[in-house]
Amino acid sequence: MRGEIQGEKIIFDQAENLLVAVTDVGLLAQNLALAAESKGYGICYIGGVRNNMEAISELVGLPEGVFPVYGLTVGVPNEGNEVKPRLPVEAILHENEYDEAKYETLLPAYDAAIQEYYERRSTNQKSETWTQQMANFLKRASPRLKRRIG
């Protein structure tokens, strides 16, 4: 990674490099998760890592230009937990062309499923629907990681 080997300074401002890196991390994590689960291990992605990237980067000693995307725990579960419903594949996959009309039925159905899950889970109960959470999340400006990504 270090350009100094070639006498160059690396510039961290290319969207292509960011997209390739995040895609590679996702593929690696998914393959690791599938392999672990096929052997009977439990896994848990920790997306909350992105909520405090700077502190976590410092804690684990990441160099400039490197940032955590998420954590991944792997282990032998000692109990079963509630499984959070995910968006149905139809909400993510589009064939031949993008079909926004399908969200009129898919999103209310998913909101109902996620709200039921939040109400019945044993910890961290919520009353927001998924679309409420996403609207609140997407209306905020993201903090910039000046030191980490340029």
Side-chain angles (χ1 to χ4, degrees):
M1 161 156 160
R2 302 190 55 92
E4 291 86 6
I5 261 180
Q6 297 296 320
E8 300 292 338
K9 176 167 176 33
I10 295 176
I11 312 269
F12 300 104
D13 67 351
Q14 298 289 320
E16 173 67 8
N17 294 342
L18 175 66
L19 290 173
V20 168
V22 171
T23 299
D24 285 351
V25 167
L27 291 170
L28 172 71
Q30 184 65 55
N31 286 328
L32 178 64
L34 288 170
E37 288 178 327
S38 77
K39 298 292 185 184
Y41 291 98
I43 64 98
C44 182
Y45 290 98
I46 305 171
V49 162
R50 294 183 302 273
N51 297 335
N52 206 351
M53 295 168 89
E54 197 66 37
I56 291 170
S57 295
E58 289 175 21
L59 178 69
V60 299
L62 297 180
E64 180 184 4
V66 177
F67 59 94
V69 177
Y70 42 73
L72 181 66
T73 60
V74 178
V76 179
N78 60 2
E79 61 184 60
N81 293 323
E82 301 100 346
V83 176
K84 183 178 180 180
R86 298 294 180 196
L87 277 169
V89 172
E90 309 89 80
I92 301 165
L93 181 64
H94 297 264
E95 275 189 59
N96 299 323
E97 64 183 342
Y98 188 84
D99 177 15
E100 191 167 349
K102 66 183 175 180
Y103 293 119
E104 291 177 25
T105 55
L106 289 173
L107 293 181
Y110 184 64
D111 274 346
I114 204 75
Q115 195 164 23
E116 180 183 328
Y117 162 77
Y118 283 141
E119 289 171 359
R120 76 168 190 267
R121 74 180 180 180
S122 55
T123 60
N124 196 23
Q125 294 176 332
K126 298 179 182 182
S127 61
E128 280 185 313
T129 65
W130 181 79
T131 55
Q132 286 171 325
Q133 290 176 50
M134 290 299 100
N136 289 334
F137 176 74
L138 294 171
K139 73 180 180 184
R140 294 188 307 241
S142 297
R144 292 181 43 109
L145 283 175
K146 294 176 186 166
R147 187 173 84 78
R148 292 289 162 210
I149 57 174

